Amino acid sequence: KALGRRAGAVTAAAASKEIKMNHEEFEKQNIFGIGQENTAFAQYFIGRSYLNPLTAGSSLFFANVTFEPGCRNNWHVHRADKGGGQILLCIAGEGWYQEWGKPARSLKAGDVVVIPAGVKHWHGAKKGSWFSHIAAEVPGENTRNEWLEEVSDAQYDALGE
């Protein structure tokens, strides 16, 4: 079974911390459902993430992405020759969003993040909470993701809870 890099370490670390939102409470708020373990992109995550595509077969792609406590994706850039980018609609739990060179932004249900094409960033759960957002790919010409380096433990731990 493919897992995000260091998934066991993140899970053990999360278990040793106080979890602000337990899984049962989180599932009640996560109205689009957790989906399946995100094995196709596990290599770009620290910890386990889950993916529930909402618009399969559509020209617009929306998916509910769920992060276990402490899980985050690598730094990445949504590239496009024209248009493109990503929109995050936060629906449950608490998480982080950070653009390269800027302070991290705390996220909670109801927050919206508009990420223009070409912006280096990462997003994921806080240490003490599960987190879900709807990821919407903004249409554009020749859109693609460029996956970059991991968000280091030092970078992530500096954010606190």
Side-chain angles (χ1 to χ4, degrees), residues 80-161:
D81 293 341
K82 184 177 180 183
Q86 185 179 47
I87 299 172
L88 307 178
L89 307 170
C90 305
I91 59 168
E94 294 183 37
W96 293 111
Y97 168 78
Q98 185 173 21
E99 294 180 4
W100 187 258
K102 295 184 179 179
R105 176 179 164 191
S106 179
L107 300 175
K108 64 184 181 327
D111 288 341
V112 176
V113 181
V114 177
I115 308 162
V119 173
K120 183 176 179 179
H121 67 283
W122 70 271
H123 33 103
K126 290 190 175 183
K127 291 179 188 179
S129 180
W130 285 81
F131 178 61
S132 278
H133 62 60
I134 302 299
E137 292 182 9
V138 177
E141 294 178 10
N142 197 24
T143 59
R144 62 213 176 273
N145 284 350
E146 178 183 357
W147 291 99
L148 304 166
E149 70 273 14
E150 293 181 354
V151 175
S152 72
D153 289 341
Q155 289 170 314
Y156 185 77
D157 291 343
L159 301 175
E161 293 295 317

Side-chain angles (χ1 to χ4, degrees), residues 1-5 7 34-53 64-66 71 147:
K1 189 175 190 179
L3 301 175
R5 286 179 267 180
I34 195 168
Q36 300 298 313
E37 190 168 344
N38 188 7
T39 56
F41 291 91
Q43 64 183 321
Y44 305 117
F45 286 75
I46 293 176
R48 287 187 182 94
S49 67
Y50 301 84
L51 187 64
N52 186 11
N64 186 28
V65 182
T66 298
C71 177
W147 291 99

